[in-house]
Amino acid sequence: MGDDKLAAALTPPDSEYCRRMLDPWVVSAMPSSSLRWRKILARDSLRWHAKIWKRWLKGLLSGNLSTALRFRTADYVKKTYGATWRKEDWPAHDRPLGTTKPTMAEWRDEGLILKKGGLNQMQLERMMTLIAETKPRTVLEIGAGVGQNLLRLSVVFPEISFTGIELTEEGVARARSVQADEHLPDIIKQFSPLPVADDTAHRKVDFRQGDATALPFAEGSFDLVYSRQALEQMELVRKKAVAEMIRVSSGHILMVEPFADYNDDRRRSLAHRAKNYFSMRLADLPGAGLEPLVIFDNWPQKISEGIGLVYCRVSAKG
């Protein structure tokens, strides 16, 4: 498929498509110009300012400012997400809001308070659309977590061989525990934005524990290698992780990540500094050996983080 046709396939069919997909997840909506929404934005900015000052103070008191500000190491991620994956619930739009923190997002002229998982739904739908159009035979996910993406992708595309690499033992164990069920549980299956073709195909996904900077696969093993908000956790080792994605890809890379281009405004840049997140720009992709074919960002975004979908051809290998 040509780049123009693929870009057209990724463009929502009408201006309200994204909003309708979000409807089941919306707790409250208001004009983005309203006083209530401006107060929400102000509180969010104060929260990130406080986190940054806390990091600075910790660094000054410890005498090691650099370590305090560059805290998102592999050990930190492994410990933090190991604890998260032990108790993470599967997203469900009918779950009471009090069980998880809401997501604050913006879409066109609306401020939205969403149940957790609503934005994931939109991202997964666009990823599924891209996979349906490009038809890879083998797919690897970097940072598979508890398998939320792969479990759903596998039952929509049972003809594809899916593999996931995850840093934490807890994430892999949680994903594999779902594979003990002959049929993908309804709470996971119902989240799928595209029709399920075979609800037993989740049992074929190969979940492995491993490090994104040293992937246990041969060169060119996968038609498509993708990450969805996983590289954002790897800023300190990002170049090596991207190089490994390129090495094991036979041709294409998909990144659904918070590229710096979408986080230049004052509020989002604050959040990124506080979290020590992804600083890669779209202009950096060619230098990394990637040729962007399709870039998509026309979807609702969190107030603290902008995400872009970028589908690339591997143009060079180190």
Side-chain angles (χ1 to χ4, degrees):
M1 170 174 282
D3 299 346
D4 291 343
K5 289 185 177 180
L6 182 55
L10 284 174
T11 301
D14 61 66
S15 61
E16 296 302 316
Y17 180 77
C18 296
R19 183 61 172 83
R20 290 197 302 271
M21 184 169 288
L22 283 179
D23 278 347
W25 305 85
V26 175
V27 176
S28 182
M30 66 205 77
S32 57
S33 59
S34 67
L35 179 60
R36 182 186 175 194
W37 189 248
R38 292 203 302 270
K39 286 181 178 179
I40 288 173
L41 297 181
R43 285 197 298 268
D44 188 67
S45 292
L46 286 173
R47 178 165 67 100
W48 295 119
H49 272 296
K51 285 183 178 291
I52 290 172
W53 280 110
K54 184 178 179 180
R55 288 285 170 193
W56 273 90
L57 181 60
K58 182 178 179 180
L60 291 172
L61 292 176
S62 68
N64 195 338
L65 184 59
S66 176
T67 299
L69 297 179
R70 294 169 61 82
F71 62 92
R72 200 169 292 275
T73 63
D75 286 343
Y76 172 89
V77 172
K78 195 170 186 178
K79 180 180 178 180
T80 302
Y81 275 85
T84 298
W85 298 146
R86 282 196 296 270
K87 59 185 180 181
E88 180 80 356
D89 285 331
W90 301 105
H93 62 74
D94 57 354
R95 181 175 288 122
L97 180 61
T99 59
T100 59
K101 292 182 179 179
T103 296
M104 306 300 181
E106 292 177 312
W107 176 237
R108 301 191 184 279
D109 297 323
E110 280 190 300
L112 301 170
I113 301 176
L114 307 173
K115 292 181 181 179
K116 185 178 180 181
L119 296 185
N120 298 357
Q121 179 88 345
M122 188 71 227
Q123 293 171 10
L124 187 60
E125 190 273 347
R126 293 291 88 185
M127 290 168 61
M128 285 182 170
T129 298
L130 184 143
I131 288 172
E133 297 292 341
T134 56
K135 297 178 173 58
R137 295 164 299 172
T138 53
V139 176
L140 170 67
E141 178 177 16
I142 303 298
V146 296
Q148 293 192 34
N149 300 316
L150 289 175
L151 291 170
R152 292 169 176 124
L153 287 169
S154 65
V155 297
V156 173
F157 304 104
E159 72 282 4
I160 296 177
S161 175
F162 288 100
T163 302
I165 198 83
E166 163 60 26
L167 183 64
T168 69
E169 295 177 3
E170 293 86 349
V172 174
R174 184 77 181 281
R176 287 177 177 170
S177 71
V178 178
Q179 295 179 304
D181 292 340
E182 181 178 356
H183 300 277
L184 188 65
D186 284 345
I187 193 170
I188 305 174
K189 183 168 58 179
Q190 290 172 359
F191 189 87
S192 176
L194 294 189
V196 169
D198 178 0
D199 71 356
T200 68
H202 67 294
R203 303 182 72 182
K204 298 186 296 183
V205 180
D206 182 9
F207 288 106
R208 303 192 195 185
Q209 185 184 6
D211 189 328
T213 65
L215 296 173
F217 307 110
E219 182 175 342
S221 295
F222 301 94
D223 294 336
L224 175 66
V225 180
Y226 80 84
S227 68
R228 190 186 75 82
Q229 291 180 258
L231 287 177
E232 69 178 15
Q233 301 288 339
M234 306 179 200
E235 179 60 14
L236 298 182
V237 294
R238 169 173 48 84
K239 290 183 179 179
K240 193 169 183 180
V242 171
E244 276 291 271
M245 292 173 71
I246 290 172
R247 181 184 67 80
V248 302
S249 170
S250 64
H252 291 89
I253 302 288
L254 171 64
M255 298 180 186
V256 184
E257 297 287 352
F259 288 89
D261 307 67
Y262 305 114
N263 295 281
D264 278 340
D265 65 84
R266 185 169 178 271
R267 187 174 62 254
R268 287 179 179 160
S269 65
L270 270 176
H272 265 48
R273 285 164 51 202
K275 294 185 286 187
N276 190 204
Y277 260 13
F278 203 61
S279 65
M280 191 176 200
R281 292 188 171 275
L282 298 174
D284 297 333
L285 292 168
L290 294 170
E291 176 192 355
L293 301 178
V294 176
I295 298 172
F296 179 81
D297 54 32
N298 188 24
W299 49 21
Q301 302 277 19
K302 291 173 69 173
I303 62 174
S304 61
E305 182 175 62
I307 300 289
L309 179 155
V310 185
Y311 180 64
C312 302
R313 179 187 294 123
V314 173
S315 57
K317 295 197 177 188

